[in-house]
Amino acid sequence: MASTTLPGAAALTGLRARARSARRFALIALTVAIAALATTQVLAERAPTREGTRPLAWLALALFALAVPALAATQAIWGARARRVREGERALYGRPSSGARRPAVRLGVAGCWLVTLLLGFTVPRLFRESALYGIAESLAGAIGVLAPACLAAGVLFALWWTRETFAGRTRSPHDPWDPGQEGTRRVAAWAGAAVTTAALVGARAHLWEPATWLVCALLVATLVSVVVTRE
């Protein structure tokens, strides 16, 4: 008996493509935000004078102020498109195909949010080192208000993630319209971006002390890697 295409399969393919595009932009935003924040802060700490630290401190603040809404927007779009895909899969095949790996992805994204917030919460120290004490105190006060809300959000996420992890969802039967695995080049590019970003965060945490030129090279390598992830 000849195989037939299920009604709605072509539309589901389009939904999946849109979801993959949204996922890519969300991951790029996460990677660039963390790498840029870490690099700026490392360079600010290495500035020889207070006057040299000030522009980098302002840049770090601007990056953090832009990163939070950008991450929230790109991830909201990704989540909305992914939900449409799951609804289409559930209608077509009875259950979604991404249930098994979704908790791990969410945990990874939450970890990236944690790193971003920790980097942002250290910005007031850069202003203190720049002798801009009034701005440093104002930022510290704002962070003091924001920190409990972030902690509460983290607790709620942990409870939600635990429920999702033990929900017992399984992968749907073979789907001929499934796009399959990521290409080798894209996987290597994402791995490269993850490694260089982790190296920059490690430098910011003083786990190692790379030369300044190497810090800048790692940032450039991160940006090049995310460009190569183009689908």
Side-chain angles (χ1 to χ4, degrees):
M1 181 178 177
S3 61
T4 59
T5 301
L6 293 174
L12 181 57
T13 299
L15 291 175
R16 283 172 170 163
R18 287 167 56 82
R20 289 196 303 273
S21 177
R23 177 187 64 191
R24 176 176 174 264
F25 280 111
L27 294 179
I28 286 175
L30 269 174
T31 304
V32 172
I34 293 173
L37 273 170
T39 300
T40 302
Q41 293 184 15
V42 169
L43 296 178
E45 285 190 336
R46 297 182 180 186
T49 63
R50 290 178 174 178
E51 290 73 16
T53 303
R54 287 174 185 173
L56 292 168
W58 283 109
L59 178 59
L61 178 60
L63 286 172
F64 182 61
L66 291 172
V68 172
L71 298 187
T74 54
Q75 289 172 31
I77 294 171
W78 176 20
R81 292 184 179 180
R83 279 193 298 273
R84 289 203 241 352
V85 170
R86 290 195 298 272
E87 290 168 359
E89 289 177 335
R90 191 172 288 112
L92 206 59
Y93 303 112
R95 53 179 180 256
S97 65
S98 58
R101 63 180 178 270
R102 193 161 65 247
V105 172
R106 288 173 173 171
L107 184 62
V109 170
C112 291
W113 265 103
L114 176 61
V115 172
T116 304
L117 290 174
L118 288 177
L119 289 171
F121 288 175
T122 62
V123 169
R125 188 171 67 186
L126 300 180
F127 283 92
R128 290 192 191 95
E129 293 172 354
S130 303
L132 299 175
Y133 301 112
I135 297 174
E137 290 304 316
S138 298
L139 291 175
I143 289 172
V145 173
L146 183 61
C150 294
L151 179 60
V155 171
L156 291 175
F157 171 80
L159 295 173
W160 175 56
W161 180 84
T162 302
R163 187 196 67 179
E164 289 287 318
T165 302
F166 295 101
R169 294 176 176 172
T170 57
R171 188 172 179 83
S172 64
H174 176 67
D175 174 7
W177 289 81
D178 195 320
Q181 300 296 323
E182 293 277 5
T184 303
R185 187 185 71 172
R186 288 194 294 272
V187 172
W190 282 122
V195 170
T196 53
T197 302
L200 288 169
V201 173
R204 178 64 184 89
H206 302 289
L207 299 179
W208 71 308
E209 298 293 337
T212 300
W213 70 265
L214 182 54
V215 171
C216 297
L218 287 170
L219 177 61
V220 172
T222 302
L223 299 177
V224 170
S225 295
V226 296
V227 169
V228 175
T229 63
R230 179 180 179 183
E231 297 180 350

